[in-house]
Amino acid sequence: MGLSRAAAERWVGRWERQQQRYAVDREERFTVIADVVQHSTADRPRPMIVDLGCGPGSLTARLAERMPAAEIVAVDRDPLLLALARTRHAAAARYVEAVIGEPGWTDVLGLPGPLDAAVSTTALHCLTEESLRRTYQRLAALLRPGGVLVNADHFPPDDTQPARIAAHVGARRSERLRAFAHEDWESWWAATAEDPELAGLLAERHQSRQPAHRQDVGVGHNGLCLSRHTALLRQAGFAQAGPVWQFGDSHVLVAVRP
């Protein structure tokens, strides 16, 4: 039996609430991403967008609502989160299970042509530096000239006093917000294990993370600062790259394909 709509709505709702603990001004960051993509694709009647590490469809759904003519391919490695996205936000995108950064991962996306935009939020920090380098290179090859890569994430501060102060300001804001959140990452996942409807998906999730050849793709956080991301993007072929929004150590980083 498939995942019910009621269960998907319940678990996605809890996901949205617990994520408020970690992403400073999360809704504003989503809005900025959509602003960038809409501006960059203003002359495209049906822009092609890929959402990298889509999870349960938080950014995907917001982009689809903002840009209903867009064709969105949402990709993630986690079968449980993808099932939540497919059930809760079925019409928003075409969902694909793939390990970002693994050799050949873009071959399974079924892209009909060049991308107009690639977006991601709090996902690419899980890639090792070498995997991230390959991913940036691959995306540069897939994007059309003028296309954009938009990566919204927490970047460890560069080694400057202003950057460290900015990170402190953001951390203090996060601490204040956490007072209103009753669930965190660990407790959300622990709670899913108590729901019989998710048992099969959790087993599939566990199995999908076993193959040894995937171990060099994912890490907890690669620790790469903003300037290192910018350097990797330029090495990958993006002519220009830089932040367009910041609060604390949370940035929206945009790279433009020449």
Side-chain angles (χ1 to χ4, degrees):
M1 183 175 67
L3 182 66
S4 70
R5 175 62 183 260
E9 289 183 350
R10 181 171 68 253
W11 285 109
V12 171
R14 289 177 65 168
W15 173 276
E16 295 283 342
R17 289 189 294 274
Q18 61 98 349
Q19 283 290 295
Q20 297 294 338
R21 294 176 61 95
Y22 305 106
V24 178
D25 284 348
R26 185 169 181 254
E27 286 301 328
E28 177 65 15
R29 186 163 64 177
F30 284 145
T31 299
V32 171
I33 295 170
D35 285 343
V36 171
V37 175
Q38 193 167 46
H39 172 74
S40 302
T41 62
D43 61 342
R44 317 295 288 188
R46 187 170 173 77
M48 171 66 63
I49 303 168
V50 64
D51 182 4
L52 306 164
C54 66
S58 301
L59 176 58
T60 304
R62 288 163 173 82
L63 284 173
E65 182 177 6
R66 177 81 168 267
M67 304 173 64
E71 184 176 349
I72 303 174
V73 178
V75 56
D76 203 286
R77 68 176 294 177
D78 194 304
L80 187 148
L81 296 181
L82 278 174
L84 292 176
R86 287 187 178 111
T87 306
R88 178 63 182 88
H89 303 298
R94 177 168 56 84
Y95 298 94
V96 178
E97 184 174 346
V99 181
I100 297 167
E102 191 175 64
W105 69 275
T106 58
D107 296 340
V108 302
L109 301 185
L111 300 176
L115 288 171
D116 295 296
V119 301
S120 185
T121 180
T122 58
L124 297 184
H125 66 239
C126 294
L127 301 182
T128 65
E129 182 169 353
E130 184 54 38
S131 179
L132 185 65
R133 184 194 308 275
R134 295 195 305 265
T135 299
Y136 282 161
Q137 290 171 342
R138 186 64 186 136
L139 292 171
L142 290 173
L143 283 161
R144 64 166 173 82
V148 292
L149 168 58
V150 188
N151 182 15
D153 212 333
H154 296 277
F155 300 102
D158 290 292
D159 191 23
T160 67
Q161 188 67 8
R164 290 192 291 272
I165 293 172
H168 172 74
V169 170
R172 294 290 294 153
R173 174 69 181 277
S174 294
E175 289 171 7
R176 293 191 293 272
L177 292 174
R178 284 170 190 159
F180 302 98
H182 302 291
E183 191 167 46
D184 60 16
W185 174 271
E186 289 79 12
S187 61
W188 187 90
W189 282 106
T192 63
E194 304 299 321
D195 188 339
E197 193 168 348
L198 301 181
L201 289 166
L202 283 168
E204 186 180 346
R205 180 179 192 268
H206 177 73
Q207 183 63 31
S208 72
R209 291 169 179 262
Q210 295 306 305
H213 69 280
R214 292 186 175 182
Q215 296 308 303
D216 70 334
V217 174
V219 294
H221 195 298
N222 55 35
L224 299 178
C225 62
L226 182 70
S227 62
R228 186 58 186 151
H229 276 269
T230 302
L232 290 173
L233 286 163
R234 288 176 176 156
Q235 291 169 17
F238 290 94
Q240 301 178 62
V244 297
W245 179 89
Q246 175 189 1
F247 193 101
D249 64 357
S250 180
H251 297 75
V252 176
L253 175 62
V254 176
V256 183
R257 167 77 158 76

